[in-house]
Amino acid sequence: MTRLELRQVRKCFGPREVLAGISLNVAAGEFVSILGPSGAGKSTLFQLLTGAERGEGEMLFDGAPLDDHGSRFAFMPQRDALMPWRRILDNATLGLEVQGVPRRAARERVAPLFAEFGLAGFERAWPAELSGGMRQRAALLRTVVQQRDMLLLDEPFGALDALTRAAMQRWLEAMWRRHHWTALLITHDVREAVLLSDRIYVFSARPARIVSEIKVPLPRPRTADASVAREAAGLEAGILDTLLGATDPQLSAQRPSPRR
Amino acid sequence: MAVPSVPLSGGDTSGPSPRGGRSAVSSAIARAAPAAVSVGLLFAAWELYARYGGVRPTVLPAPSRVFGQAWENREALMDNAIPTIRATLAGFACSLSAAFLFSALVDFWPSLRRALFPLLIASQTLPLVAIAPLVVLWFGFGLLPKILLVALVTFFPMMVALVEGFEATEKEIGQMLRAMGAGRWRVFWLARLPSALPYFFAGLRISITYAVVGAIFAEYAGAAKGLGIYMLNAKNNFRPDLVLAAVGVSAALTLVLFGLTVLFQRLAMPWERAAAGRGSEGRQ
Ligand SMILES: Nc1ncnc2c1ncn2[C@@H]1O[C@H](COP(=O)(O)OP(=O)(O)O)[C@@H](O)[C@H]1O
Ligand SMILES: [Mg+2]
């Protein structure tokens, strides 16, 4: 069953075209990734979905136009966006609080999840006291407790060091196997996309078009099994070729002009 | 369904570490020591110059004389300090409320900024020496002209600090709150207001010192009582020792108010210390 469907979504910032007609869909319980070079317009797509910006084209959710932006998605922005002035517990309950859940009830709903998210004992800590990986898990916790229809994750592990990132990817894979969230993940990490996704949309450089759509038919868990991991590596190499093939002419065309 | 437990990277399990091995008292002494030494040296040099430099005490009194006279006239000084404190605090409270109100309005309607800021910037170019007598002329010797002058010097820095503070809100936090379904008010209350706190306190520390100066200026221009008028009278009576004694009282007052803002900030922003505690070993 298709939940999210985008048809020819376009977005320009003034004269700058950022999204040049994006069509994609995400089915219920499916984990879909958007893979693309940085600056392509991936985050912009999420801005459209969350209603922060308006674009052209059709955005449907369960077949109906997506106008009630607040209610469908739990959105995790590119930076963790934890509020430094709230303790981790209060950061985690933020979404419920905005929904009008009384603080007490919100805390009761969030508290049992701390162990699962590797944050047990840190309920009263300030965000500044957490490591990068823990902050990301706290941000993810804040996102999933909203119990929205779909998760929008914008490069959740982009700022982490390689080791922490690998640990977080395994962890997220395990979490997804347990919860079967419907999720749309933005990443510029090919391995991450292959590891986590059912399907991958590869974006070109700006203005973003969909260069290819790749199914990832690998069994899960993908990190634990050596033979699966080998298959994943093959897939990864193929995608990297597509990506470089699509972006290379763009990159070389852009190189002489300084970045604005 | 059983899911394999997921290993987390080692660095992840480190928690908030207990901070501060040294006792608070000894670290406070260590921090105050350089200031005490520099002030002590200044006073020593001044004392020596006043005694052996051949200047008359009616021109430059030695600090020992200033302190002695301050002690002898302590009742008069206190008596005059109280109206100054009252004017400072009342004026500052008015200015803070107004700054808060207007900065919030500007935050909600950014076009107001273009309407207000030129006026406000112009207000900051008014020389206090010229404007203080006029304000006293218009509003008399009571509390009102003092409140107005204190507000005049403190409103603008507070307003700018708050407006900039609201704007310093992380864009992603705003977008996330909107996606959660929060309206503008909610975003303001949950994100923009707390984001402005560091800016607010920076502005507060600066403005509180201006506030004391503003109150004294207003009194200088005309008042029944207050440190400003006390200084003026002492000067006219050729008593620089008493002028300096009053200056000392106003300096002490400023320091106390400054200290209060620092204390207030600590209480209002406990997470700042947690952030400082992590320091360089913080996240990547
Ligand atoms: N509010 C905005 N106004 C103008 N340009 C923007 C705005 N937001 C994003 N852009 C531009 O859109 C392009 C894509 O940005 P973004 O979606 O953040 O890329 P990605 O997430 O793929 O790295 C960038 O060139 C950026 O400068
Ligand atoms: Mg981005």
Side-chain angles (χ1 to χ4, degrees):
Chain A
M1 186 184 73
T2 302
R3 296 226 82 170
L4 178 69
E5 182 167 12
L6 304 185
R7 290 190 196 140
Q8 289 301 318
V9 170
R10 277 188 77 234
K11 175 69 190 170
C12 303
F13 287 109
R16 181 188 294 174
E17 188 178 31
V18 176
L19 298 174
I22 300 293
S23 302
L24 57 77
N25 58 74
V26 181
E30 197 180 22
F31 197 114
V32 175
S33 290
I34 292 174
L35 183 64
S38 71
K42 305 183 297 295
S43 297
T44 303
L45 187 66
F46 275 12
Q47 290 193 340
L48 298 185
L49 289 173
T50 57
E53 293 283 349
R54 298 209 159 275
E56 302 153 46
E58 270 185 287
M59 301 194 292
L60 304 175
F61 202 93
D62 290 344
L66 191 67
D67 38 26
D68 184 13
H69 289 295
S71 62
R72 295 300 191 174
F73 305 111
F75 166 57
M76 176 168 166
Q78 191 160 350
R79 286 190 277 167
D80 57 44
L82 292 174
M83 295 177 168
W85 55 87
R86 284 178 164 240
R87 295 179 188 275
I88 295 302
L89 183 60
D90 298 323
N91 263 292
T93 57
L94 183 68
L96 298 176
E97 220 177 296
V98 171
Q99 285 172 31
V101 178
R103 174 170 292 193
R104 189 86 169 275
R107 287 187 166 184
E108 275 166 15
R109 242 160 87 182
V110 170
L113 292 167
F114 268 73
E116 203 178 12
F117 278 73
L119 293 167
F122 288 87
E123 291 84 350
R124 306 276 306 150
W126 300 107
E129 292 173 314
L130 266 54
S131 68
M134 296 180 85
R135 288 178 66 109
Q136 294 300 326
R137 288 201 298 276
L140 212 54
L141 173 58
R142 176 195 61 202
T143 312
V144 301
V145 293
Q146 297 172 43
Q147 298 195 310
R148 292 284 166 86
D149 298 328
M150 186 169 165
L151 302 180
L152 300 180
L153 310 174
D154 192 350
E155 297 191 21
F157 312 134
L160 300 177
D161 63 90
L163 209 61
T164 311
R165 188 190 312 175
M168 292 290 294
Q169 287 164 353
R170 287 181 173 213
W171 172 81
L172 185 60
E173 188 191 19
M175 291 294 285
W176 184 80
R177 294 217 305 142
R178 193 179 318 181
H179 295 281
H180 278 284
W181 297 309
T182 306
L184 187 57
L185 169 93
I186 288 177
T187 180
H188 53 224
D189 181 340
V190 182
R191 175 164 302 164
E192 182 169 298
V194 172
L195 208 63
L196 296 171
S197 324
D198 297 312
R199 271 186 309 127
I200 302 171
Y201 289 101
V202 182
F203 274 31
S204 71
R206 204 189 73 225
R209 290 164 290 104
I210 291 177
V211 183
S212 67
E213 178 192 340
I214 297 159
K215 287 201 166 60
V216 187
L218 304 177
R220 295 174 193 268
R222 293 171 182 167
T223 39
D225 190 319
S227 67
V228 177
R230 219 172 303 124
E231 246 182 289
L235 207 57
E236 200 182 310
I239 295 173
L240 209 53
D241 281 345
T242 320
L243 204 57
L244 291 176
T247 53
D248 242 357
Q250 300 268 355
L251 282 178
S252 49
Q254 277 177 2
R255 203 170 291 141
S257 64
R259 278 194 63 175
R260 265 184 292 172
Chain B
M1 180 178 69
V3 166
S5 73
V6 182
L8 303 169
S9 71
D12 264 316
T13 45
S14 70
S17 52
R19 53 185 94 82
R22 283 176 301 165
S23 83
V25 177
S26 70
S27 79
I29 290 173
R31 256 180 299 151
V37 168
S38 63
V39 169
L41 283 176
L42 179 72
F43 277 132
W46 176 7
E47 180 80 36
L48 287 174
Y49 181 69
R51 280 194 187 195
Y52 307 109
V55 283
R56 275 176 296 142
T58 46
V59 175
L60 180 69
S64 56
R65 181 177 165 81
V66 173
F67 283 117
Q69 286 303 309
W71 181 249
E72 244 165 60
N73 293 280
R74 59 187 181 277
E75 268 175 31
L77 280 169
M78 276 305 117
D79 205 28
N80 282 284
I82 284 162
T84 306
I85 295 172
R86 193 183 300 142
T88 303
L89 294 182
F92 200 53
C94 291
S95 149
L96 265 188
S97 321
F100 182 75
L101 180 71
F102 280 96
S103 61
L105 287 174
V106 166
D107 196 52
F108 276 83
W109 292 283
S111 55
L112 266 183
R113 187 198 186 116
R114 256 162 294 152
L116 285 175
F117 270 44
L119 208 66
L120 292 174
I121 292 167
S123 80
Q124 293 306 291
T125 65
L126 298 175
L128 214 49
V129 223
I131 206 77
L134 284 181
V135 174
V136 172
L137 184 69
W138 296 331
F139 299 102
F141 292 99
L143 194 58
L144 184 61
K146 279 111 201 156
I147 288 179
L148 287 176
L149 281 166
V150 170
L152 178 72
V153 292
T154 57
F155 175 74
F156 184 70
M158 282 320 299
M159 168 100 182
V160 170
L162 283 168
V163 168
E164 281 184 1
F166 295 146
E167 276 167 10
T169 308
E170 220 181 295
K171 219 178 74 227
E172 283 85 356
I173 291 185
Q175 196 193 342
M176 176 187 71
L177 280 170
R178 290 304 193 92
M180 285 171 171
R184 286 194 74 181
W185 250 112
R186 233 36 208 301
V187 174
F188 182 79
W189 179 250
L190 288 172
R192 300 184 76 80
L193 201 55
S195 295
L197 277 176
Y199 292 77
F200 169 78
F201 281 110
L204 198 64
R205 283 196 299 271
I206 296 171
S207 311
I208 199 78
T209 60
Y210 291 176
V212 178
V213 174
I216 288 176
F217 241 110
E219 290 166 352
Y220 209 85
K225 251 185 198 174
L227 286 176
I229 198 72
Y230 185 88
M231 286 176 200
L232 183 65
N233 289 336
K235 192 206 79 170
N236 290 342
N237 293 329
F238 303 103
R239 291 293 303 274
D241 49 345
L242 289 182
V243 175
L244 288 171
V247 167
V249 171
S250 83
L253 174 62
T254 308
L255 280 174
V256 167
L257 290 174
F258 189 91
L260 283 177
T261 64
V262 173
L263 188 71
F264 185 34
Q265 176 167 17
R266 285 233 175 136
L267 294 176
M269 302 178 62
W271 60 91
E272 261 206 335
R273 304 192 65 191
R278 259 191 94 80
S280 55
E281 52 129 5
R283 68 198 181 103
Q284 61 287 53

